[in-house]
Amino acid sequence: MRCPQCGNKDTRVIDSRMQSTSNSIKRRRECRSCGYRFTTFERCEDPIEVLKSDGTTQPFDRNKLLAGLMRATSKRDIDLAQLNALIDDIEAELRGGVRTTVSSHDIGDMVLKRLEKVDKVAYIRFASVYRDFQDINEFLSELGKLR
């Protein structure tokens, strides 16, 4: 691991802890050259393939999911930690299953199920893009389901 301060490759781990909310390890490191201390996170990289609606597959990308959630929660009182916890929960569910390929539709449903509990406005925003609402009646129908 390179030191973010000086770029030296010689760092040492001074503390490691399992994260209770996700399948990751938090490590505190110290650069042997400049003494700078920094934190890294280590995650399991079992590949999860996402089957897109056009039939192509691509690796699961939590950053792509986070970007969509950030758009849906823009100007809402939801912090980044909540969004990361939501994604951690989805990723844990995906990794806990026996399938290595999951459809983008299934991931969208998993997001909606969790967003409904977090913020109704963010839920509607995400649903409008995910379900490709074409007119006001589709919005009203979804709002009716939320009531």
Side-chain angles (χ1 to χ4, degrees):
M1 177 63 56
R2 286 186 185 269
C3 172
Q5 187 76 21
C6 71
N8 191 313
K9 291 182 186 177
D10 190 15
T11 63
R12 69 183 184 107
V13 175
I14 54 177
D15 185 35
S16 292
R17 296 178 189 217
M18 284 292 297
Q19 296 298 103
S20 60
T21 59
S22 66
N23 190 19
S24 66
I25 298 174
K26 177 181 177 181
R27 299 196 193 277
R28 280 298 286 165
R29 297 178 181 267
E30 182 177 54
C31 177
R32 292 182 190 253
S33 175
C34 69
Y36 182 73
R37 290 185 174 196
F38 59 100
T39 302
T40 60
F41 290 89
E42 194 175 295
R43 291 187 195 278
C44 179
E45 282 297 321
D46 291 337
I48 298 171
E49 292 291 318
V50 178
L51 178 62
K52 307 296 279 183
S53 57
D54 65 2
T56 62
T57 60
Q58 65 184 63
F60 174 78
D61 183 356
R62 67 180 286 120
N63 293 325
K64 186 174 178 181
L65 187 53
L66 179 61
L69 285 169
M70 288 179 75
R71 281 190 299 275
T73 59
S74 174
K75 299 183 181 179
R76 303 295 299 161
D77 190 25
I78 301 169
D79 64 2
L80 187 58
Q82 277 183 283
L83 297 181
N84 277 314
L86 189 144
I87 294 170
D88 287 344
D89 190 44
I90 289 171
E91 196 169 358
E93 185 176 331
L94 292 173
R95 292 193 188 285
V98 293
R99 301 182 299 170
T100 57
T101 302
V102 64
S103 73
S104 58
H105 179 78
D106 289 345
I107 292 173
D109 287 343
M110 294 167 82
V111 170
L112 286 175
K113 181 174 83 174
R114 288 159 175 84
L115 265 182
E116 185 177 3
K117 297 172 187 169
V118 173
D119 187 275
K120 305 282 192 229
V121 172
Y123 171 93
I124 289 295
R125 286 178 177 174
F126 191 89
S128 70
V129 173
Y130 164 64
R131 293 195 175 133
D132 193 26
F133 291 173
Q134 297 297 314
D135 59 32
I136 193 72
N137 291 327
E138 292 181 57
F139 273 100
L140 292 173
S141 173
E142 196 65 38
L143 286 170
K145 291 177 192 174
L146 280 177
R147 290 183 183 211

